[in-house]
Amino acid sequence: MKIGIPNGLFTDTSNLMYKTFFESLGISVVFSGNTTNEIKEEGIRLSVDEGCLASKIYIGHVASLVERSKDEKIDYIFIPRLCTYKKNETECVRFYAMYDICKNMFDANFISLNLDYNKGISEVKSYIDLAKRINVNPVKAYLAYMKAVKVCKNEEYYRDRLLKSRLNKDKNKILIVSHAYVFDDAVLGKPICNWLKKQDVELIYASKERMRENDISYKKISSSLYWKQSKVLMSGLINNMDNIDGIIYLSVFPCGTDSLTNELMQRKIKDVPSINLIVDEHSGFEGYITRLESFLDIVESNKLKSKRRERYEKIYC
């Protein structure tokens, strides 16, 4: 059996989780690959105008897998349905509507993982139910799930250690407050991040420092937040405040959750230079260069002022 996984929205360690789970069951996995302009344009063509650019790109990835399935004999295209988590945490509506959207849009075989704590479907149960749909024994599915959890935890642990060990004290450190499906996408955020790296700055990603169990750092900004990914970004911001010289809020148009939470973060965090970048269908990478150059000048100027203030305090205070 072969399962195809679109490369968008459900990225970061989630794709590693899905890949490990399926391969532990002896199922081969293929991904749709990096986003291209062709995938982006096809997704835009197939989507409703009101959808965010990230969801349109995801539909473009699904379309590419549907086309590939004709030659590569892909048995199922996997689209998770993530609704609610523990403590009534939820996701953007696109995350739990995407399966139904694609199933009604394409003539292909789809399979889903339905995670919904509010309806009594925990993560482990959702994986076992998924395995049942492809005739896999529940015990074997549970073992595959536990293996996938272990692999992801190891990946997060070593990634966090690697990120911290690579920090260069002499470079300006910029925090990227953005979802992995935005900053790591070849068309959306990666060109911006690659350009920043060439400017000799250190990039730290708010969503890569996974929110630890019982971490409520986000409550310093919003105590009533219920979107899980937004909590991760806010906690990543708060937990890195002592290590950064500037903040870039990077999102896609018209993301409803980011438009609210980014505004909240910008209003609360005022003592660090920041810039808000929104990528839309018509954005060209060159259009961001001037704004980013000005932002880096402000970061450098602010850092020099801080150093002068520290020297003054040491001498006269």
Side-chain angles (χ1 to χ4, degrees), residues 145-290:
Y145 165 77
M146 294 305 296
K147 180 179 179 181
V149 169
K150 183 177 180 180
V151 168
C152 287
K153 283 185 177 179
N154 286 339
E155 169 72 12
E156 290 171 7
Y157 173 75
Y158 287 112
R159 183 182 61 188
D160 288 350
R161 288 192 65 183
L162 183 62
L163 286 171
K164 290 172 182 176
S165 66
R166 283 183 174 178
L167 291 179
N168 189 323
K169 293 182 179 180
D170 298 325
K171 291 184 178 182
N172 289 329
K173 296 170 187 61
I174 305 298
L175 182 70
I176 306 295
V177 180
S178 177
H179 306 291
Y181 60 80
V182 177
F183 72 73
D184 210 24
D185 186 275
V187 170
L188 295 176
K190 186 164 279 189
I192 291 172
C193 293
N194 287 342
W195 183 87
L196 287 166
K197 291 174 184 176
K198 291 179 182 178
Q199 309 312 304
D200 202 33
V201 300
E202 196 88 44
L203 296 185
I204 304 171
Y205 300 93
S207 65
K208 279 194 174 182
E209 185 175 331
R210 308 301 289 181
M211 192 167 65
R212 302 294 180 252
E213 195 71 26
N214 301 319
D215 185 352
I216 56 172
S217 304
Y218 65 89
K219 289 191 174 183
K220 294 179 180 178
I221 297 176
S222 174
S223 60
S224 58
L225 194 66
Y226 52 86
W227 294 304
K228 183 175 181 179
Q229 292 202 47
S230 297
K231 288 181 179 181
V232 171
L233 290 182
M234 283 191 181
S235 291
L237 171 63
I238 295 298
N239 294 334
N240 281 289
M241 282 302 297
D242 294 335
N243 304 319
I244 58 175
D245 303 299
I247 304 167
I248 295 178
Y249 300 95
L250 179 62
S251 60
V252 295
F253 181 84
C255 178
T257 58
D258 283 356
S259 64
L260 173 63
T261 55
N262 286 359
E263 180 72 16
L264 281 172
M265 288 185 276
Q266 284 184 293
R267 291 188 181 193
K268 291 282 186 176
I269 309 298
K270 297 180 179 179
D271 54 345
V272 179
S274 67
I275 185 173
N276 190 26
L277 299 180
I278 302 174
V279 182
D280 62 33
E281 298 172 16
H282 310 292
S283 298
F285 168 68
E286 292 76 13
Y288 297 106
I289 299 298
T290 303

Side-chain angles (χ1 to χ4, degrees), residues 94-109:
R94 293 282 168 182
F95 280 76
Y96 49 89
M98 193 55 68
Y99 171 76
D100 296 303
I101 291 171
C102 293
K103 190 175 180 180
N104 286 282
M105 185 180 293
F106 299 101
D107 181 19
N109 293 322

Side-chain angles (χ1 to χ4, degrees), residues 6-16 18 58 95 179-182 184-185 210 229:
N7 243 354
L9 289 185
F10 313 95
T11 54
D12 204 14
T13 54
S14 294
N15 274 353
L16 176 62
Y18 305 142
Y58 186 84
F95 280 76
H179 306 291
Y181 60 80
V182 177
D184 210 24
D185 186 275
R210 308 301 289 181
Q229 292 202 47

